[in-house]
Amino acid sequence: MNRFKASKFRHTEARLPRREAWIGGIRAGSITSCGNHVKASCRWIAFNAEAAGVLGIVPLECKDGGKRTVSQLCCHSDVVTDFDFSPFDQLLLATGSADEMVKVWRLPESGQDMPSNAGLTLGPGGGPVDMLQFHPTADGVLASGAGKRVTIWDVVQQQPLTALGSHEDQLQSLAWKRDGRLLGTSCKDKKLRIFDPRASPTASQSVPGHENNKDSRLLWMGSSDCLISVGFSQMREREVKLWDMRQFSRAMLTVALDTSPGEKTSCTASKQHLRSQHSPRVSRIHPTPGSRQCRGPCPCPRCLPHGHPACPPVTQCRTEGSTRGLAAVPRLALDVMACEVLRILQLTDTALVPVSYLVPRKSVQDFHEDLFPDCAGMLPATGAQAWWAGDSQQVGRVSLHPARRPAETFTSPVIACTQLQAANTGNTGPTDADRSEGSGYSSPSSLASPGSAATSLSASTGPSSGFASSPSQKSLQCILGPSSRFRHAQGRVLHRDTHLTNLRGLSLTTPGECDGFCANHQRVALPLLSAGGQIAVLELSKPGRLPDTAVPTIQNGTAVADLSWDPFDPRRLAVAGEDAKIRLWRIPEGGLRETLQEPEAVLRGHTEKIYSIRFHPVASDLLVSSSYDMTVRIWELSAGQEALCLRGHTDQIFSLAWSPDGKKLATVSKDGRLRLYEPRRSPKPEQEGPGPEGGRGARLVWVCGGDYLLVSGFDSRSERRILLYRAQALPDGPLSVLGLDVAPSTLLPFYDEDTGVVFLTGKGDTRVFLYEVTPEPPYFLECNSFTSSEPHKGFVFLPKTACEVREVEFARALRLGQSTLEPVAFHVPRVKKEYFQDDIYPPTRVWWEPALSGSAWLAGKDRQQCRANMRPADMTPVSEAPKEAPARKFVPASVYLEEKSDEQKKEELLNAMVARLGNRDDPLPQDSFEGVDEDEWD
């Protein structure tokens, strides 16, 4: 009879949602790991983001048809290899990383910020963590695989219960049996192993699995003794094998699928055993029912005739994009009244696509018991220590019927949620442990039934970039997200009369660590292509066409590596050369009139070529430099000697930057590390953290009052991107990562501390990106970008005092072209330009006056610069402008029209109709035609 038995899921339909229902605006990671790259609980979806050590977090359901906000959880200092949600506490997430650590996080309720610190940390485990899985019946038990070993953790005690060996090669997957008694693993040595962790650390059963040692996965068929493995055959065909533990010597059934380089990943829909398979980089999903096909306890050779399909395919779903990962939504989150038996989340490069599998039924108003049997609930059967002592109680089963489904939820005592909130908000309150009773678990809290309140993602009206269903009830900011007050900023090149033209012999081959040229509020220094490291110094107050003859220059004597103006002395220019020397030049008053050949001073100390130099922002006569000798040196110019030497770099230093208060120094280097120094305390870095992945170049700048660091660099695919770090937590990785475009040049950042706007462009670009940086999510608010008609060779910003306040100009830059130097003004369009826009111009730092001397700073003193108001004396602040009475836009008709009777209205209507017909006494056109006389008719 089994030969003719049909699956009740044979008519299952896969429904792909419209693009509007996709969760877009994401950038999935491309790392290679044993994980699925995406997981889901009844509350949240987590996926591997593009940045190393970062997970993307997005709500599973979209409340009120609103917008989904994709948040970032900065987990580790290295790539996140695998992660898993607790089967009981829907907010508990465990993450594993190549940094050998396992961290457990409590995600917030919807609408709150992501945690900045993990609730607890396990490890290090002696190697990169490859896989994680929570125990299916006991709360606080977690299995992690690293290298050749599986470790079973008691998460509450933060101690390992046991370590499982017997593996001869790299682990590829692990899976708990649904009853929690056994653990199965697949390994690169082509063997499948079954462990009873409480009985022995060695495998109780072992059998050769797939003949190819490429990636394989293992999956138990619920609580039965059957399991499924997916892998590759000797001919590199992807295959599925069905195993029975009671006859584990060979596979009961082998089904070959296709040939593809990506491994198969399986996910099961619990009791239904509806299994979905996918491969990374392949756009096809194969769901098949793996339920038992006989009346016996399992499918076995005695009750499966020859050639019987134990896993008959139900349907295939071909998707649009290539797949990065696949995850099944928990059954408690399915739309059972729509006969949704399975929902798959497909992770692509730029979106999360929910694919719903529905069984067509005539009645969609009734609950179908045959499709939705009772499933495991969300209350654990036991705790970690009780399970380890031999307790094998099973999780209670609950009905999926919306009316009979329990409303309670479980909060694990692994991490007290109130304790985490107190750490994040500074509030104190009783912890979950204080509220727990009896078993040590917190009391259940009421929550709406997921089945009755949740709706299918495919029917959602609010994707990540969508609109709410009732905009009149929400503000535009809530619908579209926060926007920058500078979003309409405009950049324009000033009149040609302000340009410097006919620039000849410019050096366009300065190192990538150099901006190409430098400028202050009086003059600009341009490296020339001539031998001997010549530098042209031009006065900004004398625009126009330069003569065809040679202009006076600075003879540096060696090729220029970097150059910088002293902010407190506009006539002093520091030039770093490729001969490992720094030369200080003094420009005569009024500009160069003759060639300079002798520097004011020469600083010696580096042994290799110098990368970059920067003056101290607060103290006078202080200069910092970085070199190929892997050192960073601070020079006291008044003494003409080296004052401090910072070490700790292992590769080329791309960039360095002083903090706004001048106390700290940050560097980014080719070894992919960010370093933070307090030079007066120690020559070693105070903090280190992961930097950009790419080794092509990077820049950094302090933002948000010196509390954050913004780094521009490349990813592993050479895409330019910017990363935001918390300066006090560099090891935690970036808070936010934003990809911009693909281009060969490094983005040069300039940050305006008064407005919070960062400008980003590179040598050879035609576009300048503008973003307002905020310390709260989403961190980067996009503004209008500036585009030029031809590529620029350099883009340098002038001090804030160069801006024209009356034109609402908040930044001014100099754009270096092939032979011209053009000023570019960035302004904000405002209606009342006659008033001083005090919301755009806060008191600015007096950058031209030092707060203290370099010797005082080296002695340990700190002072801050004063601030000055930029408001002209004859302008009134816009905040003090008189309030105008709003003009009345709509006037009632009764103001202009008198009340008329019905007879008057009828008369006016008839007159109007007659007027449109015209005058009836006018002659007709045919009356003017000439005819024949009447006697001519005879």
Side-chain angles (χ1 to χ4, degrees), residues 742-799:
V742 177
S745 60
T746 304
L747 286 170
L748 310 179
F750 169 78
Y751 179 72
D752 181 14
E753 60 184 22
D754 292 341
T755 59
V757 175
V758 64
F759 302 80
L760 300 137
T761 189
K763 299 177 186 178
D765 288 1
T766 59
R767 183 179 181 184
V768 180
F769 297 94
L770 278 74
Y771 288 92
E772 183 179 358
V773 185
T774 64
E776 298 87 16
Y779 301 108
F780 298 112
L781 303 179
E782 187 174 5
C783 308
N784 281 345
S785 58
F786 167 75
T787 304
S788 57
S789 57
E790 62 178 12
H792 43 252
K793 313 305 177 185
F795 209 91
V796 172
F797 282 81
L798 297 176

Side-chain angles (χ1 to χ4, degrees), residues 7 20 55 77 148 230 258 304 331 341 430 442 488 524 560 603 656 687 692 778 805 833 870 906 935:
S7 170
E20 290 78 7
L55 288 181
S77 59
K148 302 179 182 180
V230 291
D258 56 11
L304 287 180
R331 295 193 68 204
V341 296
S442 63
H488 300 303
V524 59
V560 177
L603 306 178
L656 49 82
Q687 291 187 65
V805 175
K833 295 173 63 175
M870 296 185 66
K906 291 180 181 180
D935 55 356

Side-chain angles (χ1 to χ4, degrees), residues 57 110 120 169 294 335 344 351 461 467 578 599 724-725 782 853 889:
I57 306 292
S110 59
L120 56 88
D169 209 330
C294 61
D335 188 1
I344 298 297
T461 60
F467 294 87
E578 294 187 356
L724 187 67
Y725 295 82
E782 187 174 5
S853 64
K889 297 182 179 180

Side-chain angles (χ1 to χ4, degrees), residues 671-689:
D671 58 8
R673 307 292 293 175
L674 279 175
R675 293 175 174 87
L676 188 63
Y677 291 86
E678 286 197 46
R680 293 174 294 182
R681 290 190 177 183
S682 173
K684 297 294 183 182
E686 176 190 19
Q687 291 187 65
E688 287 193 31

Side-chain angles (χ1 to χ4, degrees), residues 321-338:
S322 61
T323 303
R324 291 286 184 189
L326 194 75
V329 172
R331 295 193 68 204
L332 290 171
L334 297 178
D335 188 1
V336 295
M337 300 308 295

Side-chain angles (χ1 to χ4, degrees), residues 638-650:
S638 59
Q641 62 183 7
E642 175 188 325
L644 298 171
C645 181
L646 309 180
R647 303 182 184 275
H649 297 90
T650 60

Side-chain angles (χ1 to χ4, degrees), residues 559-592:
V560 177
D562 197 12
L563 67 171
S564 178
W565 290 103
D566 189 338
F568 310 120
D569 187 352
R571 295 170 51 200
R572 181 159 64 177
L573 178 67
V575 181
E578 294 187 356
D579 58 355
K581 298 177 183 178
I582 300 175
R583 294 170 174 83
L584 301 178
W585 300 88
R586 180 161 295 279
I587 309 302
E589 196 69 41
L592 280 182

